[in-house]
Amino acid sequence: MHDADRAVSSLEAFRRWFAAYVETESSEIHRIPFTELKGWRFEEPHGNLVHESGKFFSVRGLRVRNAPGAVPEWDQPIIHQPEVGILGILVKEFDGVPHCLMQAKMEPGNHNRVQISPTVQATRSNYTRVHGGRPVPYLDFFRNVSRHQILADVLQSEQGSWFYRKRNRNIIVETRDDVELLDGFYWLSVGQLHALLSSPDLVNMDSRTVMACLPFASPSPSGRWAIDGAPAARRPVEGTSIGAALARSLDPGNGALHSTGSVRNWFTGARAGFTGEAHLMDLGSVRDWQRSDDRISHDHGVFFDVMAVDIQTGSREVSSWTQPMIEARGQGVAAFLVQRIGGVLHVLVRVGSEPGFVDAIELAPTVQCTPENYAVLPAEAVPPFLDEVLHAPADAVRFDTVLSEEGGRFFHTRSRYLIVELPSERELAEPDDFRWLAVHQLSSLVQHSNYLNIQARTLLTCLHSLLGPAGGDRT
């Protein structure tokens, strides 16, 4: 089947297609003890959990020292995956509207099994077929791009609390070629894709990070990029809705509270002054963690566990495998506080340090935490503005959806993503490690590596969804 046979359809048609696909997806995922892992072992004498091929990833220990905040040092397990994977979305125009080729993909960590993923979502070990399985569909569009237009191409981090220096290549490629539409893939307009973000656990983490790189603030020469049919950075400025304020904020000509130069100075200064240290160590030597038959857990039963699963599936490059995963204890919270400043929507971001980051610090949401963890942490560890977010009046909440984190490495791990608007008359002083940024500033920074963390990129994508109804939707 070719692309035109299933392009330019309604969201209702997509939902029917997706539900039918899920009905046919018969994967089974079961927790297993570590002794039932196949191809994995705890190497002696170090205790690291490694794959026999030396590829994929390993679980090692990390020692953190001199960290900022109320907890300056700790040990923990962490995923070490030094290879760079590809997260790619293929774009093609239908009836003048750009559409994204998305995949219904089973990941073993998804609590609902199947979610919407990018066209290509593959580690280097996967796309070089270390597992001996089937090739990754559509990979050639992202590895041989000379005949296509590159809309975005940037290395981005993943969770620095659970990955050690992990980055993926986030790439968006537009083609004019005819594209064979394979089973499990579907064309969605940019607006439709954003509209689906309000559905819990539907658009996966890898899709959200690539979507953050879509060219809203800098439209392509033909001005086609839109959420509701008008180029985002060129829409009229009248109106009092948050969408109107957001549209003004996407236009660099409408200014910002802080100049881009002062923002870079503030951010670079925070990086230059960072004195924390994080070093890989033997997993068997981490303090305050215990290994049992089926998990590695913190002594206080908080933070996360390392566990193992067995996967049986017919919808992936290989039909069965086992692997270790991280399972969070408690649901995360990630939130943007936003406010209209001079009629332009601004986002309150902070400099956030996570021990696995390549550059130690990236821009993070206003609030990013797992509230349950503070039961065993000092009171001063509770982040600023947490109460402001969790107890916001309903009429101030602009976005509120529970979304899954990366299902290839994290088991049933989810976060509540919120966007809360403060009244324009509310005066809120910026703490030293916080700044109000216009949305066009964030959209510019996300085109560069290691500026916005994965949670901030997800929230930026969710923020774009507030521009309007699904563009190009045929209902």
Side-chain angles (χ1 to χ4, degrees):
M1 182 178 290
H2 288 267
D3 48 20
D5 296 327
R6 208 186 285 167
V8 192
S9 64
S10 68
L11 276 177
E12 180 182 356
F14 165 75
R15 291 185 185 277
R16 289 196 300 268
W17 173 87
F18 186 77
Y21 180 87
V22 171
E23 282 295 315
T24 65
E25 214 291 322
S26 57
S27 299
E28 294 186 7
I29 296 95
H30 301 287
R31 298 170 183 265
I32 57 173
F34 292 128
T35 54
E36 293 184 16
L37 283 169
K38 299 172 184 176
W40 295 85
R41 61 185 174 86
F42 288 99
E43 63 173 356
E44 299 299 338
H46 310 293
N48 299 321
L49 185 50
V50 299
H51 192 264
E52 61 185 8
S53 67
K55 304 292 186 180
F56 300 108
F57 65 95
S58 60
V59 182
R60 300 187 61 181
L62 189 74
R63 177 155 292 168
V64 180
R65 295 293 177 267
N66 202 29
V71 184
E73 60 180 60
W74 69 89
D75 292 355
Q76 66 168 85
I78 198 162
I79 294 174
H80 185 223
Q81 186 173 338
E83 58 187 38
V84 175
I86 293 177
L87 304 179
I89 291 180
L90 185 64
V91 172
K92 187 170 181 180
E93 188 175 292
F94 299 99
D95 289 357
V97 177
H99 283 63
C100 301
L101 183 61
M102 307 303 289
Q103 179 182 182
K105 188 179 183 72
M106 186 284 297
E107 291 284 355
N110 294 341
H111 84 284
N112 55 346
R113 293 200 341 268
V114 181
Q115 297 186 15
I116 301 170
S117 82
T119 318
V120 168
Q121 174 186 321
T123 66
R124 180 181 294 274
S125 291
N126 284 340
Y127 68 72
T128 57
R129 301 168 69 184
V130 172
H131 48 49
R134 297 190 297 269
V136 175
Y138 304 110
L139 180 65
D140 192 61
F141 283 99
F142 303 95
R143 301 196 73 187
N144 298 291
V145 299
S146 58
R147 293 186 300 109
H148 315 295
Q149 182 180 3
I150 301 171
L151 303 179
D153 191 355
V154 59
L155 290 176
Q156 299 287 13
S157 65
E158 295 201 6
Q159 285 87 346
S161 295
W162 296 330
F163 281 116
Y164 184 72
R165 301 189 175 184
K166 173 72 168 68
R167 297 193 296 175
N168 279 319
R169 189 176 183 181
N170 289 219
I171 181 169
I172 305 173
V173 172
E174 183 174 14
T175 186
R176 294 186 178 181
D177 291 356
D178 190 29
V179 180
E180 182 182 3
L181 192 62
L182 302 176
D183 288 344
F185 290 81
Y186 202 96
W187 289 105
L188 288 165
S189 76
V190 174
Q192 289 173 332
L193 196 49
H194 280 82
L196 294 171
L197 287 165
S198 61
S199 299
D201 302 308
L202 182 56
V203 180
N204 80 355
M205 186 202 80
D206 301 288
S207 297
R208 301 189 305 259
T209 180
V210 183
M211 289 166 64
C213 302
L214 283 165
F216 291 115
S218 301
S220 61
S222 59
R224 299 164 299 132
W225 297 100
I227 291 294
D228 61 358
R234 301 180 186 175
R235 45 173 89 240
V237 298
E238 65 268 10
T240 59
S241 69
I242 190 172
L246 176 57
R248 285 189 286 268
S249 188
L250 283 168
D251 186 347
N254 285 326
L257 181 63
H258 300 288
S259 71
T260 298
S262 68
V263 169
R264 289 184 184 275
N265 177 262
W266 164 73
F267 181 68
T268 303
R271 277 186 170 171
F274 185 79
T275 58
E277 299 177 3
H279 302 289
L280 288 175
M281 61 180 297
D282 293 342
L283 180 60
S285 300
V286 295
R287 297 176 297 184
D288 303 321
W289 293 78
Q290 301 295 327
R291 180 174 130 196
S292 64
D293 291 340
D294 62 353
R295 65 188 56 242
I296 301 170
S297 303
H298 191 269
D299 290 347
H300 291 301
V302 292
F303 306 123
F304 63 89
D305 296 341
V306 179
M307 42 81 77
V309 292
D310 176 90
I311 302 102
Q312 306 290 327
T313 181
S315 63
R316 292 291 298 270
E317 293 83 4
V318 294
S319 60
S320 65
W321 73 93
T322 63
Q323 67 171 84
M325 304 193 81
I326 280 181
E327 181 179 20
R329 296 280 189 112
Q331 181 174 285
V333 173
F336 273 165
L337 286 181
V338 302
Q339 188 175 44
R340 306 177 203 201
I341 301 174
V344 174
L345 197 71
H346 282 64
V347 178
L348 187 63
V349 298
R350 65 180 178 87
V351 287
S353 63
E354 297 180 29
F357 284 158
V358 170
D359 289 318
I361 285 177
E362 297 188 9
L363 292 178
T366 319
V367 172
Q368 177 187 319
C369 68
T370 301
E372 289 85 347
N373 291 342
Y374 297 108
V376 301
L377 295 176
E380 58 269 29
V382 177
F385 309 113
L386 178 59
D387 284 343
E388 186 101 40
V389 165
L390 294 182
H391 303 296
D395 60 0
V397 178
R398 303 290 177 247
F399 186 93
D400 186 358
T401 305
V402 175
L403 299 171
S404 294
E405 303 303 339
E406 211 276 326
R409 299 291 177 264
F410 309 140
F411 187 77
H412 293 193
T413 295
R414 309 160 77 206
S415 297
R416 182 185 177 192
Y417 284 90
L418 295 123
I419 298 172
V420 176
E421 184 175 10
L422 299 179
S424 57
E425 64 273 12
R426 166 85 179 275
E427 292 188 8
L428 183 66
E430 295 171 326
D432 289 343
D433 52 347
F434 288 78
R435 286 293 185 276
W436 285 109
L437 270 62
V439 180
H440 69 78
Q441 292 174 312
L442 289 178
S443 294
S444 175
L445 292 172
V446 82
Q447 302 300 325
H448 304 277
S449 299
N450 306 332
Y451 271 87
L452 272 66
N453 76 1
I454 182 65
Q455 291 85 356
R457 297 196 302 275
T458 281
L459 283 166
L460 179 61
T461 300
C462 297
L463 191 60
H464 284 143
S465 74
L466 302 181
L467 275 167
D473 189 11
R474 273 65 170 172
T475 55

